[in-house]
Amino acid sequence: MKRIKMGCTTLSIPAMALGIMRMNQKSVPEAQVAIQAAYDAGINFIDSADIYGGGKSEEIFGQAFSQMQIKREEMFIQSKTGIVPGKRYDFSKEHILHSVDEILERMQLDYLDSLVLHRPDALMDPEEVAEAFDQLQAAGKVRFFGVSNFDTAQFKLLQSCLSQRLMFNQLQFSLKHTGMIDFGMHMNMVDKPSVDRDSQFLDYARLHKVTVQAWSPFQYGMFEGTFIDNDGFPKLNQELQKLADKYEVGKNAIAAAWILCHPANIQMLVGSMNPQHIRDSAKGAKIRLTRQEWYDLYLAAGNYLP
């Protein structure tokens, strides 16, 4: 598994993480198979959130992991908080502290390697968040911190009040969600791809050594479904299959390789609970697409160059 540096640190993390959003749909033994498949492929980074399955995903993970032979210190375990189901976003100190305690209980852990704030809260008080982070770190409950779906200004605002460096920002990125790179190639134009919807965060991340975590790497839309083997995207799947045959892997590996080839050292979040898909996706970290292959996939996904 390809390894990358985490944020501004010298710590090494895998270029892929296992997202457990769908783990609530699995039995404990099935969850163990998925975790083991990821671990055996070099993916020793877990990404969760307190909202996944209403907390059930973390409960299943906790029961599964506690019965496995993998040592806690061999895993990097991350969770997210801040979404109150169907009601609001909440970055209050009280909510953050309470959520972490509940996450640790569900996952049967003493600490989280990373806590990520899940989608921006319009009522965020950066100084209040800073107090929560300081308290969590001092108590040994959280080692590192990050955010999810923040634009550049929101990221800077929060960072200005923190004593810790923010390590991560989770952003949607895939062959069918390319806004972070479209507008740069359509600079000074008036077409749809020229619109900057991400406030140039990818460039900011490279300048300030922030790890971008790409979510939904095989999805189109927000949660409409996967583009892999989808009849609605024949040209893209034809190109994926051509390269899959060349590199002797599955289509998931090629779609993963496309993301990981970007020089920003993006970490990709694999959300599948299918051991075969996990193993195939992991193979993408070993593939170095040519520049022409990378652009051929980009164009096959329905994009165009000016």
Side-chain angles (χ1 to χ4, degrees):
M1 172 55 59
K2 174 184 176 182
R3 308 284 294 187
I4 60 175
K5 289 183 179 179
M6 183 183 75
C8 61
T9 75
T10 59
L11 295 178
S12 171
I13 57 175
M16 293 186 187
L18 179 67
I20 64 168
M21 183 174 71
R22 298 176 179 86
M23 192 165 277
N24 65 303
Q25 302 170 12
K26 300 298 180 179
S27 67
V28 170
E30 289 172 333
Q32 290 176 324
V33 172
I35 295 168
Q36 191 68 53
Y39 181 80
D40 291 344
I43 303 175
N44 64 333
F45 193 117
I46 300 294
D47 175 69
S48 182
D50 55 6
I51 196 174
Y52 290 167
K56 186 68 174 178
S57 291
E58 294 187 334
E59 289 181 6
I60 296 294
F61 173 85
Q63 294 170 33
F65 185 66
S66 66
Q67 299 172 29
M68 298 179 71
Q69 299 302 310
I70 303 172
K71 295 180 180 179
R72 169 64 182 92
E73 57 269 23
E74 294 177 346
M75 298 291 283
F76 191 106
I77 301 177
Q78 169 177 285
S79 189
K80 299 183 288 294
T81 190
I83 299 179
V84 179
K87 296 181 179 179
R88 64 180 186 276
Y89 299 143
D90 193 342
F91 288 176
S92 66
K93 178 181 177 181
E94 179 183 12
H95 181 76
I96 293 171
L97 295 178
H98 181 67
S99 294
V100 169
D101 285 340
E102 291 189 329
I103 290 168
L104 293 176
E105 182 177 356
R106 284 193 297 268
M107 300 186 84
Q108 300 186 35
L109 302 172
D110 294 324
Y111 68 94
L112 289 173
D113 291 287
S114 177
L115 177 70
V116 168
L117 298 181
H118 204 173
R119 291 203 169 275
D121 175 10
L123 301 179
M124 177 182 72
D125 179 345
E127 294 182 353
E128 187 176 359
V129 173
E131 291 178 6
F133 283 8
D134 286 344
Q135 188 169 326
L136 289 168
Q137 193 171 61
K141 294 180 179 180
V142 180
R143 298 175 63 205
F144 302 103
F145 299 91
V147 296
S148 180
N149 305 297
F150 271 45
D151 67 23
T152 303
Q154 292 165 336
F155 191 96
K156 288 180 177 179
L157 174 62
L158 179 57
Q159 184 63 82
S160 70
C161 293
L162 299 178
S163 56
Q164 306 88 2
R165 283 284 295 270
L166 291 169
M167 296 293 155
F168 308 105
N169 191 5
Q170 287 193 10
L171 298 167
Q172 187 175 7
F173 186 57
S174 74
L175 273 163
K176 290 301 296 180
H177 194 97
T178 56
M180 284 198 297
I181 58 175
D182 293 341
F183 78 94
M185 291 185 284
H186 289 255
M187 167 65 181
N188 200 34
M189 300 186 69
V190 295
D191 54 359
K192 187 176 179 181
S194 68
V195 178
D196 176 11
R197 294 179 172 84
D198 304 285
S199 65
Q200 302 182 45
F201 191 87
L202 192 59
D203 291 334
Y204 176 86
R206 297 177 73 180
L207 286 168
H208 297 276
K209 299 187 185 305
V210 179
T211 298
V212 170
Q213 296 177 320
W215 58 271
S216 288
F218 308 126
Q219 301 284 314
Y220 68 96
M222 189 166 182
F223 293 114
E224 276 81 349
T226 179
F227 56 78
I228 304 288
D229 293 327
N230 188 318
D231 292 340
F233 308 102
K235 189 173 181 180
L236 175 56
N237 275 281
Q238 180 180 0
E239 192 67 28
L240 286 168
Q241 188 62 62
K242 182 179 80 172
L243 293 172
D245 292 341
K246 173 185 175 180
Y247 290 102
E248 299 182 333
V249 295
K251 293 180 182 177
N252 286 60
I254 300 301
W258 185 86
I259 293 173
L260 299 183
C261 278
H262 194 281
N265 281 326
I266 295 169
Q267 184 185 48
M268 194 190 86
L269 306 181
V270 182
S272 176
M273 292 289 98
N274 183 316
Q276 181 179 347
H277 289 169
I278 293 170
R279 285 189 287 267
D280 183 52
S281 298
K283 293 177 183 177
K286 299 179 180 179
I287 296 171
R288 185 67 182 178
L289 299 172
T290 68
R291 286 176 174 263
Q292 189 60 59
E293 289 168 346
W294 191 90
Y295 275 102
D296 286 345
L297 284 165
Y298 179 77
L299 296 173
N303 300 299
Y304 63 94
L305 298 174

